Amino acid sequence: MSQSESPGGIFGLSYDGETRVFEALKLVSTAIIVLVGAWPIYWITQLAFTEYETVEDDVVTVFPTPDIFTFGNFTVLTDPEMYTYMFNTVVVAIGTIVTVVLVSLIAGYGLARLDFPQKENFARILLIGYLFSPIVIGIPLYQIWQSIGLLGTRFGLIIALSAISMPFAVWLMWKYIMTIPAAHEEAAWVDGASRWRGFRDVVVPQCRPAIIAAALFAFALAWNDFTFAQILLPQTDTTTFAPGILRAMGQTQFLPDAYLMAISLAMTLPPLLFAYFMQSYLLKGFQVRAL
Amino acid sequence: MPDIEIRNLTKVYEESGNRIVAVDDVDLTIKDGEFVTLVGPSGCGKTTTLRCVAGLNKPTSGTITFGDRDVTQKPVQERNIALLFQDIALYPHMSVQENMAYGLKIAGFSREERMARVEEAAELLQITDQLQKMPADLSGGQQQRVALGRSLVRDPEIFLFDEPMSDLDAKLKAELRPVIEKVTDEIGCPTLYVTHDQEEAMTMSDRVAVINDGELAQVAPPKEVYDEPASQFVSQFIGQPSTQFFEGNVGAVNGTAELDVGGYEYNLARDGLEGWAGEDVRVGLRPQYIRVSDDPEAGIPATHLLDEPLGDATHSFFDTEFGEIVVVTDPDFDGDGKEYSLVFDDEYIQLFDDDSGVRIA
Amino acid sequence: MASETGESIRPGRTYIPWDDLPVKRETVAGVGTVIPVVVLYLLIAVLPIAFAFWASLHEIHTLNPEWQWAGLANYREVLNISTFWGSLWRGIVYMVGSTLLQLGVGLWMALVLNRITRGQKLLTAVVFTAYLIPTIIVSLVAMRVFDPASGVFQMIGAEWLGLWGGREAPLGSRDWAMQLLILIGTWKFAVFVTIFTLAQLRAIPDRFYEAAKVCGANRWQMFRDITLPRLMGIVTVVVLLRSVFMFNKFDIIWQLTEGGPGNATTTLPVLAYKTVYTDQAYGLANAISVVMFLFLLASAIIYFQLFNPSEEVETTT
């Protein structure tokens, strides 16, 4: 062996010994990730199914045994105020996803396939978008939206969130579309398809991983958003979930922790399902180095 | 169907201030039903020429006409061509059937008509049982058949091939060549086939157009390109193993011409050598017309290097004063690193201008 | 075989004399595709920043939109108030601490998730969920478990580890608020690092590792010579993004501590928000925003000069 390192595994272990150490480390790591990663979800779930009086009694519960088990906490979902918050959040999330996917697909196609001046500079300026934080933009936007009547509207929030998603989504689409062979589109043109038709029939279907990745990113942003909604939807009764629930807690109305956990569980399920069923697309979409 | 005429086609790329002439003043006519192969080394401009004919690239100057229709400025969608891509380019998200029917769908044919035509084409290509599969599930050869089918259903005015078999192995190539010929015969339109593989060019074409550095070197039937190459480049490019070259000097020209190669005299009964007396020329000879003599004095001295037995013949490599020379020898030839000499069959000697490479005689 | 001629295949198109126009058709189409992005940017980024700059030159009361020209007075005030420099310092502590911790945890999770064989999909989903669920839920759970009355972590910390007193609220403690903010944030945001690095790890072909094994490399050598170089590009990008995001972080801090106790967790975004809504000084808040933006811009430019992540992104897909 000409290598300067000692032959064999780490610390002079044999390859088999090294593998055993590695497997043990992996097992411990997995256990920690399961514990820490799943724990809050477990905690939310167990509290959500426990009688709220028990939860309020400052008792630490671990599992809702039959005597304190209940579905009753979920009645809070039908509370008109909570329902409005969640409905607004869903509308804003869907609106943001649709806007982001449409705009970024078209812009990504243009950047990848069409030649126009200042293209590289445009891409660079796009990246500056990462520096804009909701708080820096939100404060002036409050006045701007107020003066053009978009303050307090879901539409105003949707376009603010969409713009914040742009640097990521456009860059992702651009890089992803560049991985699709140009010959696929040219084959469509040879078949008589117009540029638009080729884009629709050949490029878009192949962009599915990137579309899902961009959609999930937009979803995460909209579903997570607190700052923009807090500033741009100032009316308590028309706001989204995050600021709504924080304000509801600050008011004197009846909102025990068990109810909060029931709502939290309802808001956690959609992301969990997306993460489970779409992770392969998500990872495939992120494989092209999206900045 | 109309003839295809390419007139004075030139394509210049501007890249960061550099002018790169990819295609330089190419003239080519492809008659109805004719199979023309555009062959040349990589980067010679053959694919650019094809893409100009297809309408995927805009020529810098020159015209392309399909019959009496000038299509130079027409987009690819309005040219009604068929094109087989190098990377096949089947739509990966559509089944074989949908792939083949896509052009018809755009043209607005009814579902029944589409299915009928796809069925018919699939039968001809023997891929009927693959119709419901996805392209990713097919082998390379089958994918190429589907791509052929995609063109076949559409009845194009010209059929273009852009090195469609360069990613396939030799056996598949041999298998697909008759299929391609069958399909082009079936459609019966002019065909332009681009390849860097001279074997494909020789076996399939009615005429071969050899292109080098953006310029056409020779356009002729395969046999003629092989036997009577117009230039050193064509002679070297066509034929395997390729033509071997030597330095020579033309002596007295008097009815027959004397040719001196490495101190050995050959008498050539050729015309056209008047005026070349005393000039240096390049001498080309195909390896099968060089004879190996055991007597080191009989011709150009050569040291044997190695043998490549192929079964029906052997390619033997020799070191000579003209560099390494390949000779086609008997199947059971065994050089064993000894000294030999090389003797020319003077009937097949080709002479080229030393500077321009143009054929002299 | 088909009897129709090519006529039916040609798409109908209204004739636009592109050859006579001074611009190329492709240029028009290309610019057209990015116009929506440009409009969004103008509306949501350029306009607000310009507006913020203009507003920062005025004395404005939040609820009383009467602008009084103040010149650079707001900037002088910003740079002179002690809370600004304190917030900037805390913001940097929060940013650096969060980014480093998230990078370590995120990379570690990605490496583990990439290697486990059973339950990989489910565990990946659970981990990804942390990034997707609303921050407010993370905050609600955190507030509940660190509650001095019934919080399970508060009890563990007080009774088993003796970190804080039995009736003390860790999130309200000057000693613990910042550390806990960083920790709780890491639970959620480390996943961002995991998603990107895991995607890269999945893209490394097995043959690289097989070739290394043939050469007799051990696991550490394989990690150092194959995995790490492939990850470096995305890691520089992710570090940049996480730093920017954490510096700008407002929601989780506001939800958990509202910048308290005192100013112990007040970073610049929190300071800007408090200036608008608590101090009602809209002009001053905008001055803080502009300073924040300039600070980030300068940092990003320096970072790009040092590591050039965009080149990394363009060349090594």
Side-chain angles (χ1 to χ4, degrees):
Chain A
M1 290 225 114
S2 59
Q3 285 160 320
S4 55
E5 277 104 347
S6 61
I10 311 166
F11 308 130
L13 290 166
S14 68
Y15 289 114
D16 278 350
E18 178 190 288
T19 303
R20 274 195 298 277
V21 170
F22 177 78
E23 289 299 322
L25 278 176
K26 201 171 82 178
L27 212 66
V28 174
S29 299
T30 312
I32 296 174
I33 293 176
V34 170
L35 272 177
V36 177
W39 184 83
I41 299 170
Y42 150 73
W43 203 249
I44 292 169
T45 313
Q46 69 100 356
L47 287 177
F49 286 104
T50 303
E51 293 275 5
Y52 74 88
E53 291 94 342
T54 316
V55 176
E56 290 300 288
D57 275 350
D58 298 354
V59 190
V60 174
T61 56
V62 179
F63 186 77
T65 48
D67 55 313
I68 53 169
F69 179 86
T70 179
F71 283 112
N73 297 328
F74 289 92
T75 51
V76 73
L77 298 181
T78 58
D79 174 79
E81 206 159 55
M82 289 301 150
Y83 174 78
T84 311
Y85 295 156
M86 292 204 289
F87 178 76
N88 282 343
T89 306
V90 170
V91 169
V92 168
I94 293 174
T96 308
I97 289 172
V98 170
T99 315
V100 166
V101 167
L102 283 181
V103 173
S104 66
L105 249 182
I106 291 170
Y109 179 83
L111 286 167
R113 290 283 199 264
L114 297 167
D115 186 35
F116 55 92
Q118 303 298 318
K119 199 161 91 168
E120 271 66 37
N121 286 332
F122 173 79
R124 280 192 199 106
I125 290 169
L126 195 67
L127 294 181
I128 295 179
Y130 279 119
L131 303 180
F132 300 132
S133 74
I135 199 82
V136 168
I137 291 174
I139 291 170
L141 210 54
Y142 174 84
Q143 291 273 326
I144 299 172
W145 264 200
Q146 194 170 42
S147 58
I148 59 175
L150 281 176
L151 192 72
T153 64
R154 291 186 290 250
F155 178 72
L157 183 57
I158 287 172
I159 61 169
L161 287 169
S162 301
I164 288 281
S165 313
M166 276 307 133
F168 178 83
V170 172
W171 198 277
L172 175 74
M173 290 295 180
W174 174 21
K175 293 293 167 183
Y176 198 87
I177 289 173
M178 280 173 65
T179 67
I180 300 172
H184 287 173
E185 238 178 298
E186 288 170 353
W189 302 341
V190 167
D191 274 343
S194 64
R195 200 162 199 135
W196 163 248
R197 188 99 197 247
F199 171 70
R200 199 191 69 187
D201 290 355
V202 176
V203 178
V204 173
Q206 291 192 60
C207 281
R208 211 156 78 171
I211 291 174
I212 288 176
L216 267 181
F217 185 83
F219 169 80
L221 214 79
W223 205 247
N224 261 304
D225 172 67
F226 168 76
T227 315
F228 267 146
Q230 170 85 346
I231 296 171
L232 300 179
L233 298 180
Q235 299 301 318
T236 298
D237 50 340
T238 60
T239 196
T240 58
F241 174 72
I245 204 142
L246 199 67
R247 289 175 206 168
M249 283 165 61
Q251 288 158 7
T252 50
Q253 62 171 274
F254 180 64
L255 195 63
D257 280 4
Y259 282 18
L260 283 177
M261 291 302 132
I263 298 176
S264 297
L265 186 61
M267 295 296 283
T268 305
L269 278 180
L272 186 64
L273 292 176
F274 288 149
Y276 187 78
F277 289 107
M278 292 178 183
Q279 54 177 272
S280 58
Y281 288 111
L282 186 70
L283 290 173
K284 209 175 155 206
F286 282 154
Q287 257 170 27
V288 293
R289 293 228 174 129
L291 189 68
Chain B
M1 301 250 176
D3 299 349
I4 307 300
E5 286 197 27
I6 303 165
R7 287 283 160 267
N8 309 102
L9 182 72
T10 300
K11 174 74 184 174
V12 180
Y13 289 105
E14 299 269 354
E15 219 166 86
S16 56
N18 289 342
R19 272 169 53 93
I20 299 160
V21 182
V23 179
D24 191 0
D25 202 22
V26 162
D27 272 300
L28 188 62
T29 303
I30 309 165
K31 297 208 172 55
D32 188 19
E34 191 183 28
F35 194 118
V36 173
T37 304
L38 198 54
V39 66
S42 54
C44 68
K46 56 189 189 302
T47 293
T48 308
T49 307
L50 176 124
R51 289 176 65 87
C52 286
V53 175
L56 292 168
N57 287 3
K58 258 213 171 96
T60 310
S61 64
T63 56
I64 296 157
T65 48
F66 292 3
D68 49 8
R69 194 157 70 97
D70 183 348
V71 297
T72 316
Q73 299 301 323
K74 290 258 188 288
V76 51
Q77 289 92 342
E78 295 177 25
R79 294 194 184 192
N80 190 26
I81 58 163
L83 171 55
L84 242 72
F85 290 86
Q86 179 170 4
D87 48 3
I88 304 178
L90 294 177
Y91 312 123
H93 55 288
M94 298 185 194
S95 71
V96 167
Q97 190 170 39
E98 287 164 337
N99 259 285
M100 287 170 68
Y102 183 65
L104 301 174
K105 190 175 161 191
I106 287 180
F109 285 92
S110 73
R111 193 178 163 74
E112 293 73 36
E113 175 86 354
R114 287 192 323 243
M115 291 308 117
R117 284 212 200 179
V118 167
E119 202 65 45
E120 200 181 330
E123 226 157 275
L124 188 82
L125 293 159
Q126 299 168 333
I127 48 170
T128 312
D129 49 342
Q130 318 282 354
L131 282 179
Q132 302 310 320
K133 291 190 184 166
M134 297 306 275
D137 300 331
L138 303 180
S139 69
Q142 285 170 327
Q143 290 187 11
Q144 209 49 279
R145 281 171 194 258
V146 176
L148 276 169
R150 189 160 70 176
S151 312
L152 186 56
V153 297
R154 281 192 34 244
D155 194 26
E157 276 181 63
I158 176 168
F159 210 147
L160 303 170
F161 293 84
D162 184 12
E163 311 200 33
M165 299 205 285
S166 58
D167 296 337
L168 302 179
D169 62 51
K171 197 163 161 286
L172 262 177
K173 277 185 190 178
E175 216 176 280
L176 263 175
R177 280 201 297 256
V179 179
I180 288 180
E181 288 176 271
K182 193 161 81 176
V183 168
T184 47
D185 279 353
E186 179 76 27
I187 301 179
C189 66
T191 301
L192 181 63
Y193 189 105
V194 162
T195 181
H196 64 265
D197 181 345
Q198 52 96 20
E199 191 183 322
E200 273 172 39
M202 296 298 284
T203 48
M204 294 196 289
S205 341
D206 296 322
R207 280 192 303 155
V208 176
V210 185
I211 185 167
N212 184 31
D213 265 346
E215 292 180 58
L216 280 182
Q218 188 173 13
V219 186
K223 188 94 177 77
E224 192 182 324
V225 170
Y226 184 84
D227 290 336
E228 299 297 335
S231 69
Q232 185 187 345
F233 173 79
V234 176
S235 178
Q236 190 171 25
F237 192 78
I238 302 289
Q240 185 64 37
S242 69
T243 304
Q244 305 297 304
F245 292 97
F246 308 86
E247 308 302 329
N249 185 277
V250 180
V253 180
N254 189 8
T256 62
E258 288 172 3
L259 176 70
D260 176 283
V261 183
Y264 291 85
E265 294 269 323
Y266 297 91
N267 270 312
L268 303 180
R270 308 279 174 89
D271 299 328
L273 280 171
E274 295 79 13
W276 284 89
E279 299 281 334
D280 283 341
V281 291
R282 191 155 290 242
V283 180
L285 195 60
R286 296 210 176 265
Q288 51 271 48
Y289 303 128
I290 304 175
R291 195 164 54 79
V292 179
S293 168
D294 290 338
D295 175 7
E297 304 295 313
I300 297 161
T303 312
H304 179 257
L305 293 173
L306 63 100
D307 289 316
E308 284 181 348
L310 298 175
D312 57 342
T314 299
H315 293 172
S316 302
F317 293 75
F318 294 91
D319 187 31
T320 71
E321 60 177 293
F322 303 103
E324 193 176 278
I325 298 295
V326 184
V327 179
V328 176
T329 49
D330 286 342
D332 44 2
F333 179 84
D334 182 7
D336 205 22
K338 295 196 190 103
E339 299 295 325
Y340 296 91
S341 67
L342 303 180
V343 183
F344 294 174
D345 186 343
D346 55 19
E347 193 188 330
Y348 298 102
I349 285 177
Q350 303 165 357
L351 296 183
F352 303 96
D353 185 322
D354 221 9
D355 301 322
S356 66
V358 171
R359 180 80 183 270
I360 307 165
Chain C
M1 64 196 299
S3 54
E4 284 85 356
T5 58
E7 310 312 318
S8 58
I9 294 176
R10 278 175 226 130
R13 176 180 292 146
T14 48
Y15 183 66
I16 300 170
W18 288 107
D19 293 333
D20 305 334
L21 295 177
V23 286
K24 280 200 293 191
R25 184 192 172 93
E26 189 173 326
T27 307
V28 174
V31 171
T33 60
V34 296
I35 279 181
V37 182
V38 173
V39 169
L40 275 175
Y41 256 51
L42 283 177
L43 203 59
I44 307 297
V46 179
L47 186 61
I49 296 285
F51 182 89
F53 180 68
W54 185 240
S56 70
L57 300 176
H58 294 78
E59 194 76 51
I60 308 161
H61 190 267
T62 303
L63 299 178
N64 175 21
E66 202 172 295
W67 292 35
Q68 256 174 1
W69 178 259
L72 292 173
N74 280 325
Y75 288 94
R76 274 196 292 277
E77 193 178 344
V78 164
L79 299 180
N80 280 322
I81 51 174
S82 61
T83 44
F84 173 79
W85 295 105
S87 301
L88 179 63
W89 171 243
R90 283 185 293 270
I92 290 172
V93 168
Y94 181 68
M95 172 180 85
V96 172
S98 298
T99 306
L100 289 181
L101 197 60
Q102 287 168 18
L103 181 67
V105 173
L107 256 175
W108 169 69
M109 287 202 292
L111 290 168
V112 174
L113 285 177
N114 191 39
R115 279 286 163 233
I116 60 173
T117 38
R118 262 177 306 163
Q120 188 191 39
K121 197 176 177 192
L122 187 63
L123 189 56
T124 309
V126 168
V127 169
F128 284 11
T129 304
Y131 187 68
L132 295 177
I133 60 173
T135 313
I136 184 76
I137 292 182
V138 180
S139 300
L140 288 178
V141 174
M143 283 193 277
R144 162 103 199 149
V145 298
F146 285 110
D147 188 73
S150 62
V152 61
F153 280 11
Q154 200 277 345
M155 281 167 63
I156 292 173
E159 289 170 22
W160 296 3
L161 305 173
L163 298 176
W164 44 72
R167 291 279 118 186
E168 201 185 334
L171 283 170
S173 126
R174 283 190 173 275
D175 297 329
W176 286 101
M178 183 59 96
Q179 280 95 320
L180 287 176
L181 275 184
I182 293 176
L183 267 179
I184 295 164
T186 300
W187 182 80
K188 182 167 165 54
F189 300 114
V191 181
F192 184 87
V193 181
T194 306
I195 295 176
F196 279 84
T197 45
L198 186 58
Q200 277 304 304
L201 285 173
R202 294 268 172 94
I204 302 178
D206 277 341
R207 61 188 149 84
F208 287 177
Y209 293 105
E210 283 158 7
K213 277 182 200 161
V214 169
C215 296
N218 64 36
R219 283 174 192 274
W220 162 248
Q221 287 164 338
M222 282 193 270
F223 176 75
R224 186 193 60 193
D225 298 334
I226 300 170
T227 314
L228 212 55
R230 293 278 294 211
L231 289 183
M232 275 326 285
I234 199 71
V235 164
T236 51
V237 170
V238 164
V239 165
L240 175 66
L241 291 184
R242 279 309 343 147
S243 304
V244 170
F245 292 165
M246 293 324 285
F247 186 79
N248 284 331
K249 200 54 96 192
F250 167 74
D251 50 6
I252 198 163
I253 302 177
W254 186 253
Q255 289 158 7
L256 286 173
T257 65
E258 298 200 351
N263 277 329
T265 56
T266 297
T267 59
L268 282 182
V270 178
L271 180 69
Y273 186 84
K274 282 205 284 197
T275 309
V276 176
Y277 291 99
T278 313
D279 303 346
Q280 311 283 355
Y282 192 74
L284 186 62
N286 277 305
I288 297 172
S289 290
V290 170
V291 172
M292 257 175 83
F293 178 71
L294 292 178
F295 178 80
L296 276 179
L297 193 64
S299 314
I301 289 171
I302 293 169
Y303 190 89
F304 267 81
Q305 295 286 324
L306 284 179
F307 296 102
N308 205 350
S310 75
E311 194 173 74
E312 200 65 63
V313 163
E314 273 159 34
T315 52
T316 48
T317 37

